[in-house]
Amino acid sequence: MRPGDLLHLERCLELAERGARTAAPNPMVGCVIVLDGEVIAEGWHERPGSPHAERMALDAAVDATGATVYVSLEPCAHHGRTPPCADALVDARVARVVVAAGDPDPRTNGAGIARLQDAGIEAEIATGEIERLARLQNAAFRTLVVLGRPHVTYKAAASLDGRTATAGGESRWISSPESRRLVHEWRARSMAAERQPLRVVFDRRGRLPASSALVQSAREVPVLVVTAPGGGAVLAEHGVEVLETASPAEALAELGRREVSSLLVEGGAGLAGALLADGLVDRLAVFTAPIVLGGGPGLVDGWAAAHLDQAVRAASVTAREVGPDTLLVAELRET
């Protein structure tokens, strides 16, 4: 890494965020082209089928001969909906390529860097915190590629003493309006379509009533109900897609086959416990409100570590203020 590299890679991550609502199941990618110390072009990937970040930036640059190209993800080396970006960079006669993180897709996974180096282009992948941030930015894409299922975030609001409702069951609203606005943004980013993300309901016992708002709106906004075998015939009559499966793992595998890359879970302690028991929670996001309830349900039910060495340990934890609340985000798995 040279002076200035980190700054340009950070800009790549900023640009990549412009595809946060539309790029899935493709990765978010940003690109910056620098010539003689000056930024001459930028690009980002907007949606599947649209030009990749490198192609957008190269088109904007017109002539990138001898330039240094910064990109948040390793340039692809395979033909998909668009030609390989590694080949486009070679054809543009750039001098150097700096990548924030490698691409786990087996069709690329080092082949992009190798293609550049074979053409005499200096190419390297960053290390340290910028690489970690780039990997986290595309956690959904990476999980889908590596594990074949969506990246799962369990979101909850809790009191300072870890309660998600009062002893009498009252839970609206523990978190602040500011926290709820942020969650709305997360929903839009979670495998978002142009209109609405797919709504998935885990309902093992088939208790979702046909009169519910979810079911009644299923013909306008897609609803998928995951239930035990034989539990969803009535819902199907109302336009609900029913997935009958024996376990959450099977349900996530099916969502993965449909290229659903991220799942925001807001289903409560029982579902959280079932997912944790099977090692299916990748990220835990808890909005902690400045209140103490003293009783009521906790964050997880149905699963417990018998000993400390059986606890689920976070790979990393960050904290920030959201209105009066404190948001704790724990990465339980970093792919």
Side-chain angles (χ1 to χ4, degrees):
M1 296 279 286
R2 302 176 186 174
D5 285 354
L6 181 59
L7 182 65
H8 294 307
L9 289 178
E10 289 173 345
R11 176 58 179 165
C12 287
L13 267 61
E14 291 178 3
L15 291 167
E17 285 294 317
R18 298 185 183 184
R21 292 192 177 201
T22 54
N26 287 359
M28 294 178 281
V29 185
C31 179
V32 174
I33 300 180
V34 176
L35 182 63
D36 297 329
E38 299 291 332
V39 174
I40 63 170
E42 296 181 336
W44 64 91
H45 182 50
E46 186 175 359
R47 68 186 73 250
S50 70
H52 287 188
E54 298 94 321
R55 183 73 268 169
M56 178 187 284
L58 287 171
D59 288 346
V62 181
D63 185 1
T65 302
T68 297
V69 176
Y70 298 88
V71 62
S72 59
L73 186 71
E74 180 182 3
C76 61
H78 64 278
H79 285 269
R81 291 186 174 117
T82 59
C85 290
D87 289 351
L89 293 169
V90 171
D91 293 343
R93 301 189 303 279
V94 304
R96 181 172 178 250
V97 177
V98 185
V99 176
D103 186 342
D105 189 321
R107 296 171 298 179
T108 295
N109 197 11
I113 293 294
R115 175 74 180 91
L116 297 171
Q117 292 175 337
D118 289 346
I121 297 171
E122 181 184 350
E124 63 178 300
I125 298 178
T127 59
E129 183 65 7
I130 191 66
E131 182 196 19
R132 176 180 169 275
L133 292 175
R135 292 166 72 96
L136 283 178
Q137 183 179 60
N138 275 312
F141 165 75
R142 303 183 77 89
T143 300
L144 183 62
V145 168
V146 175
L147 300 179
R149 62 163 177 82
H151 181 271
V152 176
T153 297
Y154 171 45
K155 186 274 312 180
S159 62
L160 287 171
D161 53 340
R163 306 299 182 181
T164 58
T166 65
E170 183 182 356
S171 61
R172 294 191 176 185
W173 295 100
I174 288 178
S175 61
S176 65
E178 293 90 340
S179 293
R180 296 197 294 275
R181 282 195 292 270
L182 178 57
V183 172
H184 281 305
E185 171 63 20
W186 289 354
R187 290 173 186 147
R189 292 170 59 119
S190 185
M191 197 50 202
E194 287 285 357
R195 289 178 59 243
Q196 290 282 353
L198 172 67
R199 298 176 295 176
V200 180
V201 180
F202 285 81
D203 183 24
R204 183 169 59 87
R205 296 186 179 92
R207 295 177 295 180
L208 182 65
S211 60
S212 67
L214 273 171
V215 174
Q216 292 300 309
S217 62
R219 297 189 189 279
E220 289 74 44
V221 182
V223 177
L224 173 66
V225 171
V226 178
T227 187
V234 174
L235 297 177
E237 297 175 0
H238 294 270
V240 172
E241 183 180 1
V242 177
L243 174 61
E244 297 183 352
T245 182
S247 70
E250 289 182 8
L252 293 186
E254 173 58 26
L255 291 174
R257 285 189 285 273
R258 301 182 186 199
E259 293 192 315
V260 174
S261 60
S262 61
L263 190 65
L264 179 64
V265 175
E266 304 179 77
L271 179 57
L275 293 171
L276 280 166
D278 289 343
L280 298 174
V281 178
D282 302 294
R283 178 178 294 154
L284 184 65
V286 181
F287 293 91
T288 303
I291 58 174
V292 176
L293 296 178
L299 291 170
V300 178
D301 190 21
W303 173 85
H307 304 283
L308 284 175
D309 61 3
Q310 297 173 339
V312 175
R313 295 189 179 275
S316 64
V317 180
T318 58
R320 66 183 174 105
E321 293 182 357
V322 182
D325 304 331
T326 300
L327 171 60
L328 293 175
V329 177
E331 304 294 342
L332 304 187
R333 178 186 292 105
E334 295 186 356
T335 305

